[in-house]
Amino acid sequence: MTQHLADALPTSTGTQPGWWREAVIYQVYPRSFADSNGDGMGDLEGIRSRLPYLKELGVDAVWLSPFYASPQADAGYDVADYRAIDPMFGTLHDADAVIREAHELGLRIIVDLVPNHCSDQHEWFKQALREGPGSPLRERFHFRPGQGADGSEPPNDWESIFGGPAWTRVADGEWYLHLFAPEQPDFNWEHPAVQDEFRSILRFWLDLGADGFRIDVAHGLVKAPGLPDLGRDEQLKLLGNQVLPFFDQDGVHEIYRSWRLVLDEYAGDRIGVAEAWTPSADRTAMYLRPDELHQAFNFHYLNTGWDAEALRATIDESLDSMRPVGAPTTWVLSNHDVVRHRTRFGTLGKARAAALLMLALPGSAYVYQGEELGLPEVVDLPDEVRQDPSFFKANGQDGLRDGCRVPIPWSGDQAPYGFGTGGSWLPQPAEWAGLSVEAQTGDPDSTLELYRSALRVRRAHPALGAGDGVEWLPAPAGVLAFRRGDFVCTVNTTDEPVRLPAPGTVLLASGDLADPDVLPADCTVWWQG
């Protein structure tokens, strides 16, 4: 038997305030979730139609990646209008319908906010180009004269995250800063108009009913004074922890303190979630002081391999760093920027075990669409279908983020597997027929039913969810064992079975548990201790 559920579980009392302290938040990548109009691209109406699936899955909130008006130079992270919906996704009415119906189902909605940069088609930037050097509008971005006798060299040596210089020269000779694609000029957050505009954008979406914001590149808004040279020849990493003059500057915290005041104007625990790549967990915790944001993605955990010693060290460091600021630790295995964890870890068994470990840890967990189906990374996409901007930069990132963005399978035995009636913007593998929601529903051995069971137990068990620590138990090498109240989790990260006396009654197992005193290879078991 693959998984077990106790007949009866105690009911959680949920006395700690703040739904976000223990929430399981599901990331929807809109273009790849569900297509309602047959154009091959997912949309808001598709999301709305699938909200009952997310309710049944057992998540608490849904984070929507960008759906704003955008030329789509970087999959919507180049925003032309923060108060409008891109026609490929629908209308503002559709966004309102998603939020309203989610609330009716008891789900919360977190929208993606992109404050570090906008699109080069944003009205502010287009006007800044028209008005030329010295324009007040140019002060809202980072325009600079070039270096060299004729100004033909970039203002400094900063590299774009996507490869190449972080500067582009315009027709009048000035250069503008873009830490990402040239179509994504960085805002100058020293300018009060930029600060005022984003507080207004926050209120626009809060008024529409959004429950919070995932803040893209939250660590990048403030640049070091004078924009000093990096001083070394080093390609930047999109998801790294380098110490850099344009990331994790102390000035960002004043911005988030002002945002917290806006969030607190609204009832219902509206939250801010930082995508903050920092050099250490302690630096990440600074974003979560009581007067700043509520959560930050735990990328240190995401980057930890399937190794018991490394996982224990990361778990301890993560919990220890959040405790002084009173913030919940978050846990995440996959997202739209990284190789899916089934492929990173190498097997479905490891991915299932990793999921149960993550969901047993104290705090909040993030689930990326499709991981509950056990989807692998699509590694063999033809070059001509790829859209990741860094794919086209010879010296940039690996450019392979499209592999985790392939539209997910819902039903049927051939592509597009119920995603829509008009194909899918990225091709889906033939083997996904057996991984669809329809194929896995009702199969007790499926990954989908494992996630459903895990989320049901997590919601019901009073020892799971919110918390700030675990009690480690003695365990053989390669095995993790910890207690939370009367709940015990055991994890075997080795490729061999390990004898470990059963600490209680089995609640759930990620693999086949023939003998309760033998922990199978690459398996996690939940126990009622």
Side-chain angles (χ1 to χ4, degrees):
M1 70 189 155
T2 298
Q3 44 199 329
H4 315 253
L5 260 177
D7 293 333
L9 284 170
T11 301
S12 175
T13 57
T15 55
Q16 177 133 31
W19 63 271
W20 41 276
R21 290 188 172 274
E22 58 186 3
V24 177
I25 300 172
Y26 185 98
Q27 180 188 358
V28 165
Y29 194 70
R31 59 171 59 201
S32 299
F33 192 63
D35 172 22
S36 71
N37 60 6
D39 65 356
M41 187 71 67
D43 47 45
L44 288 168
E45 174 58 22
I47 295 169
R48 188 200 61 76
S49 72
R50 297 294 188 177
L51 287 173
Y53 164 76
L54 298 178
K55 175 65 174 179
E56 182 185 1
L57 180 61
V59 300
D60 302 292
V62 182
W63 153 33
L64 302 176
S65 290
F67 47 71
Y68 307 106
S70 166
Q72 302 294 320
D74 183 22
Y77 283 93
D78 51 318
V79 180
D81 187 340
Y82 292 86
R83 298 176 181 84
I85 307 301
D86 195 279
M88 76 161 61
F89 297 129
T91 66
L92 197 58
H93 173 77
D94 295 324
D96 179 66
V98 169
I99 295 172
R100 288 178 183 274
E101 188 155 327
H103 288 169
E104 290 172 3
L105 290 169
L107 297 168
R108 298 175 190 265
I109 294 290
I110 295 171
V111 297
D112 219 314
L113 191 62
V114 188
N116 179 71
H117 47 262
C118 62
S119 166
D120 61 357
Q121 298 305 303
H122 190 284
E123 282 302 320
W124 280 9
F125 191 75
K126 292 196 294 184
Q127 186 176 346
L129 291 182
R130 288 195 302 268
E131 293 184 358
S135 158
L137 261 294
R138 290 207 172 185
E139 295 176 5
R140 299 180 184 184
F141 301 92
H142 294 279
F143 279 90
R144 296 288 188 278
Q147 297 190 85
D150 58 356
S152 62
E153 297 295 321
N156 68 20
D157 65 358
W158 293 1
E159 289 282 308
S160 163
I161 300 297
F162 291 154
W167 297 89
T168 289
R169 199 177 193 187
V170 300
D172 55 46
E174 284 200 330
W175 299 72
Y176 68 89
L177 175 67
H178 53 85
L179 292 180
F180 292 85
E183 298 89 348
Q184 294 170 290
D186 279 44
F187 283 114
N188 173 17
W189 273 87
E190 303 294 330
H191 199 292
V194 175
Q195 300 186 28
D196 289 345
E197 170 69 354
F198 273 88
R199 284 191 291 266
S200 174
I201 292 167
L202 291 175
R203 290 190 176 96
F204 177 87
W205 288 102
L206 291 167
D207 287 341
L208 204 64
D211 296 287
F213 302 91
R214 177 267 189 184
I215 302 159
D216 184 62
V217 195
H219 55 300
L221 277 54
V222 173
K223 280 64 175 177
L227 309 185
D229 280 344
L230 190 58
R232 58 184 185 272
D233 183 16
E234 177 183 5
Q235 175 55 43
L236 309 178
K237 292 182 170 58
L238 174 63
L239 308 178
N241 58 0
Q242 298 141 299
V243 177
L244 299 163
F246 42 77
F247 282 165
D248 195 34
Q249 300 294 304
D250 288 340
V252 298
H253 299 291
E254 182 179 348
I255 295 167
Y256 297 131
R257 280 190 285 272
S258 74
W259 287 20
R260 180 59 176 264
L261 294 175
V262 175
L263 293 167
D264 287 348
E265 292 173 9
Y266 291 79
D269 279 336
R270 315 295 180 96
I271 70 168
V273 182
E275 183 206 30
W277 290 89
T278 69
S280 70
D282 289 338
R283 290 292 299 183
T284 300
M286 293 177 67
Y287 291 75
L288 308 178
R289 288 173 288 197
D291 60 347
E292 294 190 43
L293 301 174
H294 299 77
Q295 288 186 349
F297 292 119
N298 187 348
F299 295 123
H300 304 286
Y301 185 74
L302 185 150
N303 283 328
T304 303
W306 187 239
D307 175 84
E309 186 176 353
L311 284 164
R312 177 167 174 168
T314 300
I315 291 166
D316 281 341
E317 180 190 19
S318 301
L319 293 166
D320 289 346
S321 65
M322 293 298 113
R323 205 171 288 119
V325 295
T329 307
T330 66
W331 313 100
V332 61
L333 292 168
S334 289
N335 65 33
H336 65 290
D337 280 331
V338 300
V339 172
R340 286 186 176 275
H341 68 271
R342 171 176 172 177
T343 299
R344 292 202 320 273
F345 291 156
T347 68
L348 178 59
K350 291 178 181 179
R352 289 163 58 95
L356 282 199
L357 168 59
M358 175 182 77
L359 293 171
L361 294 169
S364 179
Y366 282 78
V367 173
Y368 177 54
Q369 66 176 45
E371 76 171 74
E372 79 278 14
L373 304 177
L375 296 185
E377 185 83 356
V378 182
V379 297
D380 56 354
L381 289 170
D383 289 357
E384 59 268 21
V385 305
R386 293 188 178 276
Q387 297 191 23
D388 183 348
S390 63
F391 178 75
F392 304 98
K393 297 284 189 180
N395 63 338
Q397 304 301 304
D398 59 19
L400 304 180
R401 291 181 298 164
D402 293 313
C404 65
R405 301 175 178 183
V406 175
I408 65 174
W410 291 95
S411 60
D413 57 7
Q414 60 184 7
Y417 307 114
F419 171 68
T421 58
S424 59
W425 68 282
L426 288 172
Q428 301 155 303
E431 58 269 24
W432 278 17
L435 297 177
S436 71
V437 172
E438 180 183 62
Q440 295 194 45
T441 294
D443 177 358
D445 293 337
S446 72
T447 300
L448 175 57
E449 293 298 348
L450 176 69
Y451 269 76
R452 286 173 170 162
S453 296
L455 293 175
R456 190 159 58 245
V457 175
R458 178 186 164 101
R459 184 181 296 273
H461 203 296
L464 291 174
D468 67 356
V470 300
E471 176 193 350
W472 293 107
L473 304 175
V479 174
L480 296 174
F482 62 84
R483 177 183 296 278
R484 299 183 61 198
D486 59 355
F487 169 88
V488 175
C489 179
T490 56
V491 187
N492 182 4
T493 67
T494 76
D495 57 6
E496 296 290 339
V498 173
R499 178 161 293 277
L500 188 68
T505 304
V506 175
L507 292 173
L508 195 60
S510 68
D512 202 13
L513 191 66
D515 181 346
D517 291 322
V518 177
L519 191 58
D522 296 318
C523 183
T524 297
V525 183
W526 289 2
W527 309 84
Q528 177 69 34

